[in-house]
Amino acid sequence: MKVFIPLFASLACTASVGAQYFSAGWSPGQPAPPYQAPSPATAAARPSVAPPPPNAAPAASDGGLFDISRILTSGPVDQLFSKMGVNITEKMELAKKDAIIWDPRIPLITDYNYDELIVNEPLTPEEEEDRVWFLIITVSAGGKNPFSRLADGHFDKAYNLSVIENDLPNVRWGRIDYLNVTYLTTKWSIWQAPYLVVATDRGKSLRFYKGNSVRLDPDIIREFLREEGWRESEPWASTFGPGGDKEYLMHYFAFAMTKSYEYLVRVPRWVLMLASGGVANLIMRYIHRNDAAPTEPVIEEKPTEKPAPLSLPVPAGSSTTTSAPASTTGASPSKGKGRQRKGAKK
């Protein structure tokens, strides 16, 4: 108890350092006391907290307690991988470097920001006439298409050279990830990648170039854009294209594909594999089914021929004669015995 008495006294002194008087409190009907600014000495003694700058970026999150990178690089897990001869920290750093496969300065065009960036871009009439969007549709995020990675590398180098030279002020660059963009690629009837797209007139005029049909070189790409070589090819003019009579059909079809993809992407892959296998099995059974009832093969019965009677040859000089069959001679057995006796007497 003696220990708490000095502690309470010190707390009371600390709380009353800046107080000029002890107030009895406020009672009903009493006017509020006027505000008294603190003296300069008191204000200097109090610590001040500077407000954060308005453009300060929030601190980066460390991923939380269940961050997979933190779990893999923790002490026990790291030691386990070290015993197996694997430097997990080095592998994680390499994985982070490989994850950055595109130039971050080139914006990603998606189903949700296409209208905002290209169709409704704020431009003056002069800028709208000269604006050119040069896009690449790529599948490099999947990591299984080396040609797409090569096209992305040339595309990024061409963009970097144009930024250094500043010779394409009217051209905007963009990238479309084919694996994560469904509406645009379906509406444009693009079912493979890589593709190069030149969009003008706020996306109403589109020109498509297949990646393996053009020479992808940084200098050639810049020359193609600087000389406006894309004007030599006609834009996509079809009833299903932009401004066509049946464009609405492609719109609804692409919208349905987008919604179905949003639901299917939530289903685990192994479930899709089992379901697709079952559906394929049912389809194959339906295709190869036999609607007609199976008929038994008819076996024709051939008439059986009776075997001819066999006649044994009689050896020459034999004293006895064999009796002929009863059906041909008609002789009775008694007569045959009598003849044999007569022959014996002679």
mmCIF file of all heavy atoms in Angstrom, residues 259-281:
data_model
loop_
_atom_site.group_PDB
_atom_site.id
_atom_site.type_symbol
_atom_site.label_atom_id
_atom_site.label_comp_id
_atom_site.label_asym_id
_atom_site.label_seq_id
_atom_site.Cartn_x
_atom_site.Cartn_y
_atom_site.Cartn_z
ATOM 1 N N LYS A 259 -20.232 -13.257 -68.496
ATOM 2 C CA LYS A 259 -20.911 -13.670 -67.273
ATOM 3 C C LYS A 259 -20.662 -15.152 -66.971
ATOM 4 O O LYS A 259 -20.443 -15.528 -65.814
ATOM 5 C CB LYS A 259 -22.415 -13.408 -67.390
ATOM 6 C CG LYS A 259 -22.770 -11.935 -67.390
ATOM 7 C CD LYS A 259 -22.293 -11.260 -66.116
ATOM 8 C CE LYS A 259 -22.643 -9.787 -66.083
ATOM 9 N NZ LYS A 259 -22.145 -9.127 -64.838
ATOM 10 N N SER A 260 -20.692 -15.987 -67.995
ATOM 11 C CA SER A 260 -20.427 -17.404 -67.760
ATOM 12 C C SER A 260 -18.998 -17.627 -67.290
ATOM 13 O O SER A 260 -18.734 -18.469 -66.430
ATOM 14 C CB SER A 260 -20.698 -18.198 -69.030
ATOM 15 O OG SER A 260 -19.851 -17.761 -70.094
ATOM 16 N N TYR A 261 -18.062 -16.861 -67.836
ATOM 17 C CA TYR A 261 -16.666 -16.999 -67.404
ATOM 18 C C TYR A 261 -16.504 -16.560 -65.948
ATOM 19 O O TYR A 261 -15.738 -17.176 -65.192
ATOM 20 C CB TYR A 261 -15.764 -16.159 -68.310
ATOM 21 C CG TYR A 261 -14.325 -16.097 -67.852
ATOM 22 C CD1 TYR A 261 -13.460 -17.170 -68.054
ATOM 23 C CD2 TYR A 261 -13.827 -14.975 -67.202
ATOM 24 C CE1 TYR A 261 -12.149 -17.124 -67.634
ATOM 25 C CE2 TYR A 261 -12.513 -14.917 -66.780
ATOM 26 C CZ TYR A 261 -11.682 -15.988 -66.991
ATOM 27 O OH TYR A 261 -10.385 -15.935 -66.559
ATOM 28 N N GLU A 262 -17.212 -15.511 -65.550
ATOM 29 C CA GLU A 262 -17.103 -15.043 -64.164
ATOM 30 C C GLU A 262 -17.581 -16.097 -63.181
ATOM 31 O O GLU A 262 -17.077 -16.170 -62.055
ATOM 32 C CB GLU A 262 -17.909 -13.750 -64.000
ATOM 33 C CG GLU A 262 -17.288 -12.549 -64.708
ATOM 34 C CD GLU A 262 -18.139 -11.303 -64.562
ATOM 35 O OE1 GLU A 262 -19.251 -11.421 -63.981
ATOM 36 O OE2 GLU A 262 -17.715 -10.237 -65.020
ATOM 37 N N TYR A 263 -18.549 -16.916 -63.567
ATOM 38 C CA TYR A 263 -19.023 -17.977 -62.682
ATOM 39 C C TYR A 263 -18.138 -19.223 -62.773
ATOM 40 O O TYR A 263 -17.878 -19.885 -61.766
ATOM 41 C CB TYR A 263 -20.474 -18.335 -63.006
ATOM 42 C CG TYR A 263 -21.463 -17.297 -62.539
ATOM 43 C CD1 TYR A 263 -22.065 -16.428 -63.437
ATOM 44 C CD2 TYR A 263 -21.803 -17.183 -61.195
ATOM 45 C CE1 TYR A 263 -22.972 -15.469 -63.007
ATOM 46 C CE2 TYR A 263 -22.709 -16.235 -60.750
ATOM 47 C CZ TYR A 263 -23.292 -15.372 -61.667
ATOM 48 O OH TYR A 263 -24.181 -14.428 -61.234
ATOM 49 N N LEU A 264 -17.686 -19.546 -63.972
ATOM 50 C CA LEU A 264 -16.874 -20.748 -64.127
ATOM 51 C C LEU A 264 -15.506 -20.597 -63.478
ATOM 52 O O LEU A 264 -14.915 -21.592 -63.041
ATOM 53 C CB LEU A 264 -16.716 -21.075 -65.610
ATOM 54 C CG LEU A 264 -17.947 -21.629 -66.321
ATOM 55 C CD1 LEU A 264 -17.665 -21.824 -67.800
ATOM 56 C CD2 LEU A 264 -18.397 -22.940 -65.702
ATOM 57 N N VAL A 265 -14.977 -19.376 -63.434
ATOM 58 C CA VAL A 265 -13.645 -19.201 -62.880
ATOM 59 C C VAL A 265 -13.638 -19.461 -61.376
ATOM 60 O O VAL A 265 -12.570 -19.686 -60.781
ATOM 61 C CB VAL A 265 -13.142 -17.777 -63.202
ATOM 62 C CG1 VAL A 265 -13.806 -16.741 -62.314
ATOM 63 C CG2 VAL A 265 -11.623 -17.686 -63.085
ATOM 64 N N ARG A 266 -14.810 -19.440 -60.743
ATOM 65 C CA ARG A 266 -14.886 -19.709 -59.311
ATOM 66 C C ARG A 266 -14.906 -21.205 -58.998
ATOM 67 O O ARG A 266 -14.710 -21.594 -57.851
ATOM 68 C CB ARG A 266 -16.142 -19.060 -58.726
ATOM 69 C CG ARG A 266 -16.209 -17.548 -58.949
ATOM 70 C CD ARG A 266 -17.534 -16.991 -58.466
ATOM 71 N NE ARG A 266 -17.668 -15.568 -58.772
ATOM 72 C CZ ARG A 266 -18.756 -14.845 -58.529
ATOM 73 N NH1 ARG A 266 -19.808 -15.433 -57.962
ATOM 74 N NH2 ARG A 266 -18.796 -13.572 -58.854
ATOM 75 N N VAL A 267 -15.169 -22.016 -59.988
ATOM 76 C CA VAL A 267 -15.241 -23.462 -59.781
ATOM 77 C C VAL A 267 -13.827 -24.035 -59.832
ATOM 78 O O VAL A 267 -13.032 -23.655 -60.692
ATOM 79 C CB VAL A 267 -16.126 -24.114 -60.857
ATOM 80 C CG1 VAL A 267 -16.238 -25.617 -60.634
ATOM 81 C CG2 VAL A 267 -17.500 -23.475 -60.862
ATOM 82 N N PRO A 268 -13.463 -24.929 -58.915
ATOM 83 C CA PRO A 268 -12.128 -25.544 -58.970
ATOM 84 C C PRO A 268 -11.902 -26.276 -60.288
ATOM 85 O O PRO A 268 -12.831 -26.788 -60.914
ATOM 86 C CB PRO A 268 -12.131 -26.507 -57.771
ATOM 87 C CG PRO A 268 -13.178 -25.981 -56.850
ATOM 88 C CD PRO A 268 -14.222 -25.357 -57.726
ATOM 89 N N ARG A 269 -10.646 -26.335 -60.683
ATOM 90 C CA ARG A 269 -10.324 -26.935 -61.978
ATOM 91 C C ARG A 269 -10.600 -28.435 -62.001
ATOM 92 O O ARG A 269 -11.006 -28.979 -63.032
ATOM 93 C CB ARG A 269 -8.851 -26.661 -62.316
ATOM 94 C CG ARG A 269 -8.553 -25.186 -62.558
ATOM 95 C CD ARG A 269 -7.117 -24.984 -62.991
ATOM 96 N NE ARG A 269 -6.838 -23.579 -63.273
ATOM 97 C CZ ARG A 269 -5.656 -23.131 -63.677
ATOM 98 N NH1 ARG A 269 -4.637 -23.984 -63.848
ATOM 99 N NH2 ARG A 269 -5.481 -21.835 -63.912
ATOM 100 N N TRP A 270 -10.378 -29.111 -60.879
ATOM 101 C CA TRP A 270 -10.607 -30.552 -60.879
ATOM 102 C C TRP A 270 -12.091 -30.864 -61.034
ATOM 103 O O TRP A 270 -12.455 -31.885 -61.636
ATOM 104 C CB TRP A 270 -10.053 -31.172 -59.607
ATOM 105 C CG TRP A 270 -10.697 -30.704 -58.342
ATOM 106 C CD1 TRP A 270 -10.340 -29.645 -57.579
ATOM 107 C CD2 TRP A 270 -11.820 -31.296 -57.686
ATOM 108 N NE1 TRP A 270 -11.163 -29.515 -56.493
ATOM 109 C CE2 TRP A 270 -12.082 -30.530 -56.527
ATOM 110 C CE3 TRP A 270 -12.627 -32.397 -57.963
ATOM 111 C CZ2 TRP A 270 -13.113 -30.821 -55.661
ATOM 112 C CZ3 TRP A 270 -13.653 -32.695 -57.076
ATOM 113 C CH2 TRP A 270 -13.890 -31.914 -55.944
ATOM 114 N N VAL A 271 -12.955 -29.988 -60.519
ATOM 115 C CA VAL A 271 -14.394 -30.201 -60.715
ATOM 116 C C VAL A 271 -14.760 -30.018 -62.179
ATOM 117 O O VAL A 271 -15.546 -30.784 -62.752
ATOM 118 C CB VAL A 271 -15.194 -29.232 -59.812
ATOM 119 C CG1 VAL A 271 -16.689 -29.366 -60.084
ATOM 120 C CG2 VAL A 271 -14.901 -29.506 -58.350
ATOM 121 N N LEU A 272 -14.183 -28.991 -62.819
ATOM 122 C CA LEU A 272 -14.443 -28.789 -64.250
ATOM 123 C C LEU A 272 -13.931 -29.964 -65.080
ATOM 124 O O LEU A 272 -14.568 -30.367 -66.056
ATOM 125 C CB LEU A 272 -13.779 -27.492 -64.709
ATOM 126 C CG LEU A 272 -14.386 -26.185 -64.182
ATOM 127 C CD1 LEU A 272 -13.577 -25.002 -64.670
ATOM 128 C CD2 LEU A 272 -15.830 -26.050 -64.638
ATOM 129 N N MET A 273 -12.787 -30.521 -64.676
ATOM 130 C CA MET A 273 -12.237 -31.648 -65.424
ATOM 131 C C MET A 273 -13.157 -32.862 -65.323
ATOM 132 O O MET A 273 -13.448 -33.533 -66.334
ATOM 133 C CB MET A 273 -10.844 -31.983 -64.896
ATOM 134 C CG MET A 273 -10.140 -33.108 -65.648
ATOM 135 S SD MET A 273 -8.494 -33.417 -65.031
ATOM 136 C CE MET A 273 -8.869 -33.981 -63.363
ATOM 137 N N LEU A 274 -13.645 -33.143 -64.101
ATOM 138 C CA LEU A 274 -14.553 -34.279 -63.945
ATOM 139 C C LEU A 274 -15.869 -34.043 -64.685
ATOM 140 O O LEU A 274 -16.403 -34.951 -65.328
ATOM 141 C CB LEU A 274 -14.813 -34.526 -62.457
ATOM 142 C CG LEU A 274 -13.623 -35.007 -61.621
ATOM 143 C CD1 LEU A 274 -14.038 -35.150 -60.160
ATOM 144 C CD2 LEU A 274 -13.085 -36.334 -62.154
ATOM 145 N N ALA A 275 -16.387 -32.833 -64.587
ATOM 146 C CA ALA A 275 -17.658 -32.544 -65.248
ATOM 147 C C ALA A 275 -17.524 -32.610 -66.767
ATOM 148 O O ALA A 275 -18.386 -33.168 -67.457
ATOM 149 C CB ALA A 275 -18.161 -31.161 -64.829
ATOM 150 N N SER A 276 -16.444 -32.060 -67.296
ATOM 151 C CA SER A 276 -16.249 -32.110 -68.750
ATOM 152 C C SER A 276 -16.056 -33.543 -69.232
ATOM 153 O O SER A 276 -16.557 -33.919 -70.302
ATOM 154 C CB SER A 276 -15.040 -31.252 -69.138
ATOM 155 O OG SER A 276 -13.853 -31.744 -68.513
ATOM 156 N N GLY A 277 -15.352 -34.373 -68.453
ATOM 157 C CA GLY A 277 -15.198 -35.773 -68.825
ATOM 158 C C GLY A 277 -16.523 -36.519 -68.834
ATOM 159 O O GLY A 277 -16.791 -37.324 -69.731
ATOM 160 N N GLY A 278 -17.359 -36.245 -67.824
ATOM 161 C CA GLY A 278 -18.669 -36.895 -67.795
ATOM 162 C C GLY A 278 -19.563 -36.474 -68.948
ATOM 163 O O GLY A 278 -20.243 -37.296 -69.564
ATOM 164 N N VAL A 279 -19.560 -35.171 -69.257
ATOM 165 C CA VAL A 279 -20.371 -34.682 -70.379
ATOM 166 C C VAL A 279 -19.872 -35.269 -71.700
ATOM 167 O O VAL A 279 -20.662 -35.670 -72.563
ATOM 168 C CB VAL A 279 -20.351 -33.143 -70.411
ATOM 169 C CG1 VAL A 279 -21.020 -32.621 -71.659
ATOM 170 C CG2 VAL A 279 -21.050 -32.584 -69.181
ATOM 171 N N ALA A 280 -18.539 -35.328 -71.870
ATOM 172 C CA ALA A 280 -17.988 -35.906 -73.101
ATOM 173 C C ALA A 280 -18.355 -37.383 -73.234
ATOM 174 O O ALA A 280 -18.664 -37.859 -74.339
ATOM 175 C CB ALA A 280 -16.471 -35.732 -73.123
ATOM 176 N N ASN A 281 -18.365 -38.104 -72.124
ATOM 177 C CA ASN A 281 -18.749 -39.524 -72.161
ATOM 178 C C ASN A 281 -20.200 -39.693 -72.574
ATOM 179 O O ASN A 281 -20.550 -40.573 -73.383
ATOM 180 C CB ASN A 281 -18.503 -40.151 -70.786
ATOM 181 C CG ASN A 281 -18.638 -41.658 -70.798
ATOM 182 O OD1 ASN A 281 -18.701 -42.279 -71.857
ATOM 183 N ND2 ASN A 281 -18.689 -42.256 -69.631
#
